[in-house]
Amino acid sequence: MIDYAAALNEAQYEAVTCGDGPVLVVAGAGSGKTRTIVYRLAWLAEHGIAPQAILLLTFTRKAARAMLHRAAILLNQGLSGAQGGTFHAFAYSVLRANQPAWLEGRPFTLMDGPDVSDALKHCKEALKLGKGDRSFPKTQTIAALLSKARNKELPLAEILEREAFHFLPHLDALKRLEVAYAAWRREKCLLDYDDLLFELEILLRNPETAAALRRRFTHILVDEYQDTNRVQARIVRLLGGAEGMEEQTPCNVMAVGDEAQSIYAFRGATVRNILDFPKQFPGARVIRLEENYRSTRPVLDVANCLLANAAESFRKHLFTRQPGGEPVRLVIPLSDMSEAGLVVRRIRELLECCPPHEIAVLFRAGFHSYHLEMALQHAGIPFRKYGGLRYAEAAHVKDVIAYARLVINLLDMPAFARVAALHNGVGPKTAQRLHLALSLQDEKALPSAFARFPDLLEDMRFVAELRRLPQNPADILSAILERYFPRLEALYPDDWPRRRQGLEEIIQMAAGYAALDGFVADLALESPEEDEKDENRITLSTVHSAKGLEWSAVLILDLVEDRFPSRHALARQDDFEEERRLMYVACTRARRHLELYAPASIYSRAERGALYVGQSPFLQELPPDTVETWIEGFGGALARRAAVGRPRTAPANAGRSPDGLNAPGVESVGMPCRHRIFGAGKIIKHIPPDKMQVHFPGFGLKIILSEYLGFE
């Protein structure tokens, strides 16, 4: 028999050895979640539960296989018969044995991604939708939007309003396509990836089928429960017997997860599943794993402060038995441009005590790392990036740089070919012929050579004008962007707003260069090959891509308002709380070194200069004794600031008015109010039906939902 008490801490032991009934294991970051599941599998097998009666649901096949393998090693015998895998794989296995009624005995096949694209293309052509309209979304984008609407269980219109507003003119056409695609799948006896879950739910609503599956799987374990969507949670309740069960058998569901790490709402995951588990499974035990085996105490102090201010959570306090630990550093650069230089300097220092693969720089969105990528390349520090392309790899960036390369060198054939390809009807052979005419630099002959492509000729005249100007990189690139932006929407209709936001960064990136050719060269100087096993690279990653990973040293960029949290998160409380969880995930990736960067200003192309910005609300919540504050002075020197008190934020329950009712409307203009993040403010304007424009001293004007304002 395994000595569980010796192998586990007290909370893990309680979770592993608990008897029948529903259990929620709230596993804080770095608290041994996987170890707990592995020992639970072994304990069940040792205490008479047949492996065939155990179902382990995870979010990757790799995770399920690893857990079952480790449990089998603990038992010194196989665990054959236990079923483990993803929700979708489990659904497919059940549906093969219990076909949906609408199939009427006909076999079904499962569609992969290319199949879905082909089917949507067929339906789109049959309905004659989007023909000749370059603004109509691409097939892959349509597939993603329809999948998101199903996983979030929201109308397609709401998905577009929230996440793809530029497609709203095509809403009626997309709704027709949605209906046609569903009918086509039925007609052809096909299921797509999302169908698996909804068809399984329908199957489990049949009492006989549900009872048979419950008799087979008497013990169900679900990993990463905070990442489940609504239909996955209903499947767990139906399988476990929390819904629609008439027979008196115990509901043996153990869900393991951490509500503070629920960060995949954009995929359809909802934190409500784990928060409401005790209500959905009456009598459920809640066991908290709070001992952290990853991070030092200063890192955990910051993480605990973030958790303490959450609007709703399972209150837990992470702790470690490891002594000591370096203080968490809060660094305040003069600007987002100088931030990149400070981070490179700090990475050089960390490389003296940490191998490169143990250093990570995290950020909220992929474009936040662009300045740093340039600075690292200039410094000769290799890196790999997760979550978004490297800046120089993006197609729209290559388009803009192609113009710049022609300004530097009119004979640059690859650059000309890329610019020419932006125009309809110009293929590789035509581009070569036109470039030959251009290279002769005979101005009189050009109209004849470019007669079929007058727009391309205008592009070349634009380049010629730029060549006659002083080669100031920022000015040249500003002019190129002004010409390129009107074309961006037509070239990349699916995601032009995101691409435009990334291109805005290029002006400031170039501002530090005296010559255009130097900037373009630095952008191009990247290693052509990157070995994923190469440990001589540091990691750049979005926070979403970093979940589940850990490093010795973690540096977090751009902790300022409108960047972290995202500007879109302030209108809805749920979105803001997910940003808090993102911050918690980012901080808890660090084992020994954690550094937080909050530049005092951010370059704004619209303002043609730097804008002073406030620190992230999450930083303002931190007590002064949890971080060491370092401020950049002119010349790049860092000076440590003595710990001083920060303004207290409103208590966590101050988000709503005291009586729980929505705040007043237009009659409230001029009234003082309070917000849980921004503190005291004054109502400036009522925005029907349910928003207020508020001035907060130190934060400026904000638009806030009325229900999240307390009135004084």
Side-chain angles (χ1 to χ4, degrees):
M1 296 287 286
I2 299 168
D3 187 349
Y4 294 94
L8 305 166
N9 66 37
E10 186 176 342
Q12 291 171 338
Y13 180 79
E14 181 185 0
V16 165
T17 62
C18 64
D20 288 342
V23 180
L24 174 63
V25 179
V26 181
S31 62
K33 168 184 69 72
T34 301
R35 183 179 183 84
T36 301
I37 295 174
V38 168
Y39 275 82
R40 174 66 174 175
L41 290 167
W43 188 88
L44 290 173
E46 277 198 341
H47 288 76
I49 305 302
Q52 294 83 352
I54 299 173
L55 173 63
L56 171 64
L57 294 173
T58 63
F59 278 84
T60 66
R61 286 183 296 175
K62 182 180 178 181
R65 289 172 180 167
M67 291 177 189
L68 291 170
H69 178 68
R70 286 174 58 182
I73 292 174
L74 280 178
L75 291 166
N76 244 345
Q77 62 186 38
L79 202 59
S80 61
Q83 186 161 342
T86 65
F87 277 88
H88 293 84
F90 172 70
Y92 180 70
S93 68
V94 173
L95 290 169
R96 284 189 65 193
N98 305 270
Q99 284 195 342
W102 61 267
L103 284 167
E104 299 177 337
R106 297 171 296 173
F108 74 88
T109 49
L110 182 63
M111 305 168 71
D112 60 15
D115 292 335
V116 172
S117 294
D118 289 344
L120 284 169
K121 184 178 179 181
H122 170 83
C123 294
K124 186 174 74 169
E125 290 174 352
L127 294 171
K128 299 180 179 178
L129 299 176
K131 191 172 183 179
D133 185 353
R134 296 191 67 175
S135 70
F136 199 80
K138 295 178 182 176
T139 305
Q140 286 184 327
T141 301
I142 296 171
L145 290 170
L146 296 183
S147 179
K148 185 168 289 190
R150 294 192 73 192
N151 280 287
K152 290 192 171 188
E153 299 185 37
L154 292 173
L156 184 59
E158 192 166 341
I159 295 296
L160 297 187
E161 287 169 2
R162 288 187 183 184
E163 304 178 31
F165 64 89
H166 51 299
F167 291 141
L168 281 171
H170 302 297
L171 174 60
D172 290 340
L174 291 173
K175 287 166 69 174
R176 288 174 59 200
L177 185 56
E178 183 179 29
V179 172
Y181 174 54
W184 190 86
R185 297 198 309 277
R186 286 270 177 137
E187 178 189 339
K188 305 298 182 184
C189 299
L190 294 168
L191 298 181
D192 66 17
Y193 198 61
D194 298 322
D195 286 329
L196 292 172
L197 299 182
F198 290 99
E199 291 292 347
L200 175 59
E201 181 190 8
I202 293 169
L203 201 63
L204 289 170
R205 298 287 179 188
N206 180 305
E208 293 181 3
T209 306
L213 285 169
R214 290 188 198 114
R215 285 192 295 270
R216 178 181 174 188
F217 299 111
T218 61
H219 288 75
I220 301 168
L221 290 85
V222 188
D223 187 24
E224 304 284 14
Y225 196 72
Q226 79 280 351
D227 293 336
T228 53
N229 61 21
R230 293 171 64 188
V231 67
Q232 287 167 330
R234 293 196 298 270
I235 287 170
V236 173
R237 294 200 298 273
L238 288 164
L239 277 172
E243 279 190 19
M245 185 177 74
E246 296 179 2
E247 65 269 24
Q248 296 301 309
T249 56
C251 175
N252 295 321
V253 171
M254 174 177 282
V256 184
D258 182 6
E259 89 291 344
Q261 297 187 67
S262 180
I263 60 173
Y264 293 119
F266 67 95
R267 295 181 186 168
T270 170
V271 71
R272 293 261 41 109
N273 287 345
I274 190 168
L275 290 173
D276 293 342
F277 188 92
K279 298 176 186 176
Q280 295 169 345
F281 292 84
R285 295 172 63 180
V286 178
I287 301 171
R288 293 169 174 81
L289 305 185
E290 298 174 296
E291 183 171 356
N292 181 282
Y293 294 94
R294 175 188 301 156
S295 306
T296 58
R297 180 178 173 181
V299 173
L300 298 181
D301 286 344
V302 170
N304 284 325
C305 286
L306 292 168
L307 294 183
N309 285 280
E312 187 177 3
S313 69
F314 293 103
R315 297 302 174 190
K316 55 183 176 290
H317 186 84
L318 301 179
F319 70 93
T320 180
R321 300 182 194 276
Q322 301 179 50
E326 292 191 11
V328 173
R329 299 198 341 159
L330 169 60
V331 182
I332 305 177
L334 289 172
S335 70
D336 53 342
M337 195 65 176
S338 66
E339 174 186 54
L342 292 180
V343 170
V344 169
R345 187 198 307 174
R346 182 58 176 155
I347 288 171
R348 287 191 187 280
E349 295 171 358
L350 289 169
L351 286 172
E352 296 180 3
C353 61
C354 298
H357 67 277
E358 283 289 346
I359 301 172
V361 182
L362 306 184
F363 31 86
R364 173 64 183 83
F367 74 91
H368 292 169
S369 70
Y370 292 162
H371 297 307
L372 179 59
E373 291 175 42
M374 291 288 291
L376 288 170
Q377 286 168 204
H378 194 69
I381 299 176
F383 64 90
R384 59 169 59 89
K385 182 178 179 180
Y386 300 104
L389 291 172
R390 288 188 176 189
Y391 192 67
E393 294 172 351
H396 53 292
V397 175
K398 289 184 175 181
D399 292 345
V400 169
I401 294 302
Y403 282 97
R405 286 169 55 176
L406 287 174
V407 172
I408 298 167
N409 174 16
L410 199 59
L411 298 179
D412 187 335
M413 175 58 200
F416 176 80
R418 186 166 193 98
V419 171
L422 302 178
H423 300 266
N424 291 331
V426 183
K429 290 184 178 179
T430 302
Q432 287 184 359
R433 177 174 57 81
L434 293 174
H435 185 255
L436 177 61
L438 183 69
S439 63
L440 296 175
Q441 299 187 24
D442 184 350
E443 187 72 26
K444 294 180 180 179
L446 288 182
S448 174
F450 283 76
R452 290 175 49 210
F453 310 103
D455 290 342
L456 178 56
L457 178 59
E458 286 304 310
D459 266 356
M460 293 305 100
R461 286 175 173 163
F462 165 71
V463 168
E465 290 176 11
L466 293 183
R467 287 170 59 83
R468 287 191 285 268
L469 297 175
Q471 299 296 289
N472 179 282
D475 291 343
I476 294 293
L477 288 164
S478 291
I480 292 172
L481 289 185
E482 292 296 333
R483 186 169 187 86
Y484 181 74
F485 277 155
R487 195 170 291 162
L488 180 68
E489 185 173 346
L491 290 169
Y492 305 102
D494 289 24
D495 60 352
W496 64 265
R498 178 185 62 81
R499 291 177 186 265
R500 176 169 180 139
Q501 187 178 23
L503 282 173
E504 299 280 4
E505 300 289 316
I506 202 169
I507 305 301
Q508 192 190 8
M509 291 166 65
Y513 287 79
L516 182 63
D517 59 347
F519 172 72
V520 172
D522 271 2
L523 206 61
L525 286 173
E526 297 188 40
S527 301
E529 299 292 335
E530 182 175 311
D531 182 0
E532 287 296 317
K533 296 180 180 179
D534 182 4
E535 295 191 342
N536 292 317
R537 298 177 183 272
I538 67 164
T539 298
L540 308 186
S541 177
T542 60
V543 182
H544 283 102
S545 297
K547 186 172 180 286
L549 304 175
E550 59 185 75
W551 294 271
S552 180
V554 170
L555 298 80
I556 307 175
L557 301 182
D558 286 353
L559 290 170
V560 295
E561 59 184 9
D562 289 350
R563 288 207 169 185
F564 204 154
S566 158
R567 70 182 62 178
H568 305 295
L570 297 179
R572 297 177 68 246
Q573 184 77 1
D574 289 349
D575 293 341
F576 182 82
E577 289 302 315
E578 176 144 334
E579 296 288 311
R580 176 188 301 283
R581 297 192 292 270
L582 266 174
M583 180 68 175
Y584 168 82
V585 168
C587 291
T588 53
R589 300 310 94 198
R591 289 198 291 266
R592 289 165 36 212
H593 306 274
L594 175 62
E595 303 205 355
L596 314 173
Y597 286 77
S601 65
I602 297 289
Y603 176 80
S604 168
R605 183 170 176 267
E607 299 295 329
R608 295 188 177 275
L611 287 180
Y612 288 100
V613 289
Q615 289 183 7
S616 166
F618 306 134
L619 293 183
Q620 296 178 45
E621 293 175 355
L622 299 178
D625 58 351
T626 56
V627 295
E628 266 187 12
T629 302
W630 294 79
I631 302 176
E632 182 188 16
F634 292 102
L638 282 177
R640 183 177 173 186
R641 184 174 71 184
V644 293
R646 291 192 182 84
R648 289 189 178 183
T649 56
N653 61 358
R656 298 178 181 270
S657 50
D659 58 6
L661 301 175
N662 286 350
V666 67
E667 70 275 10
S668 62
V669 172
M671 289 177 58
C673 64
R674 178 167 288 278
H675 186 267
R676 65 180 302 270
I677 300 302
F678 303 118
K682 183 179 180 180
I683 305 293
I684 302 299
K685 182 181 179 181
H686 173 238
I687 303 175
D690 59 354
K691 295 184 178 70
M692 296 287 178
Q693 187 181 53
V694 186
H695 179 262
F696 296 101
F699 293 96
L701 290 174
K702 300 289 180 185
I703 295 176
I704 306 289
L705 284 171
S706 301
E707 62 179 307
Y708 296 118
L709 294 173
F711 285 77
E712 300 177 347

